[in-house]
Amino acid sequence: METVAIVGVGLIGASFGLALRKAGFAGQLLGVSSPRSIEAGVRVGAIERGVPLAEAASGADLIYLSQPIEQILETLKSLGPLVRPGCLITDAGSTKALIVSTAQEHLPPDAFLGGHPMAGKEQRGAEAADADLFQGKPYVLTPQTLSGKHTSPNPQEADFRAWLLRLGAVIVEMNPCQHDATVALTSHLPQLLSTTLAATLAGQDNQYLSQVFGPGLLDMTRLSLSAPEVWMSVLATNKAAVQDAIGLFQLTLTDLQAQLQQGSILDLFNLASKFSTTLRNSPYSNGSTK
């Protein structure tokens, strides 16, 4: 792998470039993005220069799509006739089923490997990029079609996987639908709960809410600081799974209300504590934030 093109030089894309350099990658790092993002990416050292998509596709060994989901979908639709044989295209999108199906439709069968690094920050842009962003974090790969068949092997895939390990990422393989159902519960539901909690408090006529609180409230509302426009595309492309996750939470909340009324809420606390302990003892719990 000698030339990497990062399409979307924001937080994730720029962090990927910085992480590659830190891990010893000595090849070309090209950027395809807005002029402002290219300038920021060059300034922080994540890329060397900006190029048009057609130029990147004709010369890259790896194309890394780290745009918002709707832009990833549009890029996939245009890459087919541009990409050179043997190039591996991967993405960092937060949902996978629609992205994988779009890649299947528009790209050669061996060209695409779906991905999702479970890492992020509330800050956006290349200025917030971090070479250690993927260190110790789960990095989901979806080397299967929606029907469950494995995609054809790409000559660059083994090299890409090796670089992910050098970045310190922990590779987890899933099929696209398993991924979307899982992150609906572990990522999208927490985002919505944090947002709903903050919105509930914002709607109260109580001047003390912004004065009388502890670190727990800051922890619980941190995710509500995330960029809304990013989450609109995430939720739109995983709507059914998110609705299922909300339904499960509503059932648990109904149980909570009943147990609170009956004075038997201890079992719920114990169950929650046991699961939280399991999460914190997991090798995948090294500060994942998205």
Side-chain angles (χ1 to χ4, degrees), residues 121-122 194 217-226 288-289:
K121 298 179 180 180
E122 288 72 47
S194 178
L217 184 62
L218 294 177
D219 291 342
M220 288 289 293
T221 57
R222 178 181 59 81
L223 291 177
S224 67
L225 298 170
S226 300
S288 292
T289 61

Side-chain angles (χ1 to χ4, degrees), residues 271-289:
L271 179 64
S273 178
K274 183 177 179 180
F275 181 75
S276 293
T277 300
T278 300
L279 281 184
R280 281 153 180 77
N281 290 335
S282 167
Y284 304 102
S285 68
N286 185 22
S288 292
T289 61

